[in-house]
């Protein structure tokens, strides 16, 4: 339903889904199938925006055979620092198995067959996958708002999330959606690094959630960097397991690798050298399989006239932040609720620690989490909306929760005042020697810079229209970076992808997750201790670690948090 309110379009729905990737479309589909009237608002064009639509992805699809499931769950536990939860892993494996089979059947996705004729359902071609998901949600009755970035959540008098406001780029007009419940499926944050498909991933959902009173978890696991050919955007790091890396003079760069050796590449690049790669460890069968599995990986090479299997080519590292990391909005129940009434989180916007701990590697597990968490959140949001008293969702008074960029605490600045802050946050997050090769002293200095920048944004940042979208993105990235570095300082050890140069070992006393939150004043809080690490685990190297250096502060809520 739509009504005009001045220059603002007013819509109503049972469930509003914010985002347009796999988690968002699964959430919208399952909410609609559960009887909800659904609106989906995407910053881009649903079906083509986001990291999945731009390429292919593996899927954590494992048949329900005990030995296979056990191997699947055990394979990443050590890499993730033993912070994952087996119960959640099992739930995701079950849900993903069912939903992928549904995609093959009702969704008619053309999965290939293996040599034995059996379908291969552990991978998806992103463009075809998302094209079909858009078709499916439209047929289910979901109203799609393309090119309609949300800029803030709306809450009722009791603090329950009751909709969102945003800006329709093509109409050049504001909009509001009143809803019984909201699912945030906005993706992670890659800080506009240029990695393929991540330009819409600026951490918006995490900011919206924090402004409404939600918490985050695992934000220290946010320094993912993917290997890409120099000057390009395709970060398919898995294929570089077949690579040998070289210095510019042709000498092999010892220790460089796609897994366990990216820091060597980073150091060589920081020293001013170039790093070249050649996929010379792939045999004929592997080469053919790679081209079938990820054809977009080879488009760059084909256009440049390079045979990556026989010729060396320069590479770089691109930040992928919490897109390939595991941190995000903390979820408090099996249905992906956030702890704020009426608000749910799914996909990369939510923490993936439940199934990955502190390391994902991208693709497979993230894809399964998007499918599963999106489905759970969509069903739960529909149920929550249904539970509201008749007419309440349509008529309750609403208040915007947005702060920086929308409601400055002082004299408003220039409409383009976000530009300087945008360059500042990227300068504190993208460099390898600040975020990838982490050291406590460097993290602390960057956090001080970011805290001052945030204070300025809260005081004077104000914009309207398209500039408002960019201003809010800048605020989201700044908040994201502050949570990342506060959590990293609260974990003085090396666990999962959160490696610390000044604390290279693991500390058994830090075998817990870290909750983080707050806006004007960031705080951290340790979670409950996890179960013991198996004896002899190579990932468990004990170290003597000093206490947490970031103050533990009480939980805060609201735009001024």
């Amino acid at each position: 339903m739509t009504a005009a309110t001045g220059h603002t379009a007013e819509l109503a729905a049972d469930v509003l889904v914010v985002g347009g990737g796999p988690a968002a479309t699964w959430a919208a589909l399952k909410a609609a199938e559960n009887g909800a009237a659904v609106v989906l608002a995407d910053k881009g064009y649903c079906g083509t925006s986001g990291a999945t639509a731009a390429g292919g992805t593996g899927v954590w699809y494992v048949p329900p055979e005990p030995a296979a499931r056990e191997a699947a769950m055990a394979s990443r536990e050590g890499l993730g620092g033993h912070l994952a939860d087996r119960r959640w892993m099992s739930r995701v494996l079950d849900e993903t198995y069912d939903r992928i089979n549904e995609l093959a059947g009702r969704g008619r996705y053309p999965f290939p067959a293996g040599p034995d004729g059996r379908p291969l359902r552990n991978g998806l071609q992103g463009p075809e996958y998302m094209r079909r998901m858009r078709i499916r949600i439209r047929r289910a009755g979901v109203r799609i708002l393309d090119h309609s970035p949300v800029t803030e959540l709306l809450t009722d008098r009791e603090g329950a999330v009751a909709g969102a406001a945003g800006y329709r780029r093509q109409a050049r007009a504001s909009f509001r959606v009143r809803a019984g419940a909201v699912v945030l499926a906005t993706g992670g944050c890659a800080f506009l690094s240029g990695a393929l498909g991540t330009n819409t991933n600026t951490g918006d959902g995490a900011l919206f959630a924090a402004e409404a009173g939600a918490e985050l978890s695992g934000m220290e696991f946010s320094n993912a960097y993917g290997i890409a050919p120099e000057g390009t955007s395709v970060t398919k790091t898995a294929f570089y397991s077949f690579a040998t890396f070289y210095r510019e003079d042709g000498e092999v760069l010892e220790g460089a690798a796609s897994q366990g050796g990216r820091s060597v590449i980073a150091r060589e690049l920081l020293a001013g050298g170039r790093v070249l790669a050649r996929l010379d460890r792939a045999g004929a069968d592997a080469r053919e399989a790679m081209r079938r599995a990820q054809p977009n990986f080879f488009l760059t090479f084909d256009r440049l006239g390079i045979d990556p299997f026989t010729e060396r080519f320069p590479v770089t590292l691109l930040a992928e932040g919490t897109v390939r990391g595991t941190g995000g909005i903390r979820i408090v129940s099996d249905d992906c609720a956030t702890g704020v009434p009426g608000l749910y989180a799914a996909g990369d916007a939510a923490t993936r620690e439940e199934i990955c701990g502190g390391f994902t590697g991208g693709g497979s597990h993230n894809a399964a989490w998007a499918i599963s968490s999106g489905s759970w959140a969509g069903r739960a949001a529909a149920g929550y909306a249904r539970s509201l008293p008749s007419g309440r969702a349509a008529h309750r008074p609403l208040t915007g929760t947005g702060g920086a960029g929308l409601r400055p605490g002082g004299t408003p600045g220039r409409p383009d005042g976000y530009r300087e802050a945008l360059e500042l946050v990227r300068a504190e997050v993208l460099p390898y020697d600040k975020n990838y090769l982490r050291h406590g002293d460097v993290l602390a200095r960057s956090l001080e810079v970011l805290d001052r920048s945030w204070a300025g944004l809260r005081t004077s940042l104000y914009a309207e229209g398209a500039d408002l979208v960019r201003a809010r993105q800048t605020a989201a990235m700044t908040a994201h970076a502050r949570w990342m570095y506060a959590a990293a300082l609260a974990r003085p050890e090396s666990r999962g992808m959160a490696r610390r140069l000044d604390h290279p070992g693991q500390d058994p006393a830090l075998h817990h997750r870290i909750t983080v939150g707050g806006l004007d004043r960031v705080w951290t809080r340790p979670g409950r201790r996890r179960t013991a690490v198996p004896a002899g685990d190579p990932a468990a190297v004990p170290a003597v670690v000093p206490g947490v250096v970031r103050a533990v502060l009480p939980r805060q809520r609201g735009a001024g948090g």
Side-chain angles (χ1 to χ4, degrees):
M1 184 173 71
T2 306
T5 306
H7 296 293
T8 300
E10 190 90 19
L11 296 88
D14 297 319
V15 174
L16 168 65
V17 178
V18 185
T25 50
W26 279 105
L29 181 65
K30 294 306 166 184
E33 288 179 351
N34 278 265
V38 182
V39 169
L40 179 148
D42 188 7
K43 186 189 290 188
Y45 182 87
C46 175
T48 65
S49 66
T52 295
T57 183
V59 181
W60 203 32
Y61 175 89
V62 182
E65 301 165 3
R69 289 285 176 92
E70 170 61 29
M73 290 189 287
S75 65
R76 294 285 184 93
E77 286 181 310
L79 286 172
H82 295 279
L83 293 175
D85 186 312
R86 283 264 177 139
R87 187 181 70 85
W88 275 89
M89 288 184 183
S90 182
R91 293 183 67 227
V92 167
L93 286 169
D94 286 343
E95 186 73 20
T96 301
Y97 185 77
D98 290 343
R99 298 288 73 74
I100 287 292
N101 290 343
E102 175 189 314
L103 183 64
R106 291 162 58 190
R108 299 185 178 182
Y109 182 88
F111 287 100
D116 59 359
R118 300 174 69 179
L120 301 175
R121 295 183 178 174
N122 60 348
L124 291 163
Q125 295 299 330
E128 181 63 18
Y129 172 31
M130 293 312 304
R131 184 182 75 85
R132 288 175 184 268
M133 289 304 295
R134 181 183 175 96
I135 291 172
R136 294 188 73 195
I137 65 174
R138 289 189 66 184
R139 287 177 176 170
V142 174
R143 177 169 183 179
I144 301 173
L145 305 180
D146 292 310
H147 305 292
S148 300
V150 163
T151 54
E152 66 173 333
L153 295 179
L154 306 173
T155 57
D156 67 13
R157 288 171 177 167
E158 284 74 45
V161 171
Y167 181 74
R168 302 206 71 180
R169 284 186 166 124
Q170 293 178 328
R172 297 183 180 180
S174 300
F175 72 93
R176 293 204 324 167
V177 181
R178 288 177 169 270
V182 174
V183 178
L184 291 174
T186 52
C189 183
F191 298 94
L192 299 178
S193 67
L196 184 65
T198 64
N199 274 7
T200 56
N201 298 137
T202 51
D204 306 355
L207 176 63
F208 302 156
E211 289 174 332
E215 301 173 336
L216 298 101
S217 182
M219 293 302 289
E220 68 272 34
F221 306 119
S222 51
N223 57 336
Y225 282 73
I227 303 173
E230 187 179 84
T232 74
S233 61
V234 180
T235 54
K236 295 295 180 184
T237 299
F239 282 1
Y240 289 94
S241 61
F242 294 100
T244 303
F245 295 91
Y246 304 85
R247 291 190 170 90
E248 195 165 14
D249 61 6
E251 178 186 359
V252 172
L253 182 59
E254 296 295 341
S258 64
Q259 291 188 6
R262 266 176 267 182
S263 62
V264 176
I265 298 172
R267 288 189 177 93
E268 184 69 14
L269 293 171
L270 279 170
R274 295 181 88 196
V275 176
L276 295 94
R278 183 170 59 199
L279 308 182
D280 46 20
R281 297 166 55 195
D285 290 344
R287 296 179 185 187
E288 183 179 347
M290 290 161 70
R291 281 194 174 271
R292 284 200 309 269
Q294 303 282 358
N296 73 316
F297 174 82
F298 295 95
L299 286 176
T300 297
F301 299 110
D302 294 342
R303 289 168 179 168
L304 294 174
I306 295 172
D307 181 348
F309 299 111
T310 62
E311 299 177 61
R312 292 197 293 264
F313 54 92
V315 296
T316 190
L317 298 174
L318 296 178
E320 296 176 307
T322 53
V323 174
R324 199 183 287 265
T326 67
I329 301 165
R330 179 172 173 260
I331 54 179
V332 301
S333 59
D334 286 359
D335 58 7
C336 296
T338 64
V340 178
L343 183 63
Y344 300 81
D348 291 352
T351 179
R352 282 135 287 166
E353 292 169 293
E354 299 293 359
I355 65 166
C356 300
F359 179 88
T360 69
S364 176
H365 288 61
N366 284 3
W369 176 250
I371 292 167
S372 300
S373 62
S375 298
W376 295 327
R379 294 188 193 107
Y384 180 90
R386 222 174 17 247
S387 73
L388 295 175
S390 178
R392 178 183 168 190
H395 302 294
R396 51 186 168 172
L398 303 183
T399 302
T401 60
L406 275 163
R407 298 175 182 91
T411 303
R414 302 189 320 272
D416 65 349
Y418 64 87
R419 295 182 187 275
E420 184 177 346
L422 173 59
E423 292 310 309
L424 184 147
V425 67
R426 284 163 46 83
E428 296 301 326
V429 172
L430 298 184
Y432 312 139
D433 53 351
K434 292 186 178 181
N435 188 18
Y436 188 45
L437 305 173
R438 288 176 171 176
H439 188 286
D441 293 342
V442 178
L443 290 170
R445 285 195 296 270
S446 286
L447 186 52
E448 288 177 3
V449 172
L450 292 162
D451 283 345
R452 288 195 298 271
S453 179
W454 176 262
L457 294 178
R458 287 287 288 121
T459 299
S460 63
L461 184 63
Y462 176 77
E464 297 178 348
D467 278 335
L468 172 59
V469 175
R470 300 182 187 102
R472 291 291 280 164
Q473 288 182 165
T474 300
M477 286 185 276
T478 303
H480 220 80
R482 294 169 70 228
W483 294 321
M484 285 165 44
Y485 286 175
L489 285 167
R491 188 176 290 285
E493 63 163 356
S494 290
R495 188 183 296 272
M497 69 169 58
R499 318 298 293 178
R500 287 277 295 270
L501 298 179
D502 50 338
H503 295 286
Q506 281 188 10
D507 178 10
L510 292 171
H511 189 205
H512 56 71
R513 298 178 189 167
I514 294 173
T515 302
V516 62
L519 290 162
D520 292 345
R521 195 179 184 200
V522 172
W523 53 265
T524 64
R525 182 182 71 236
R528 66 177 177 84
R529 290 286 302 276
R530 312 303 293 178
T531 55
V533 178
D537 191 299
V541 182
V544 178
V545 180
V548 172
V549 299
R550 188 74 171 164
V552 177
L553 303 171
R555 177 180 174 184
Q556 299 161 324
R557 133 166 219 176

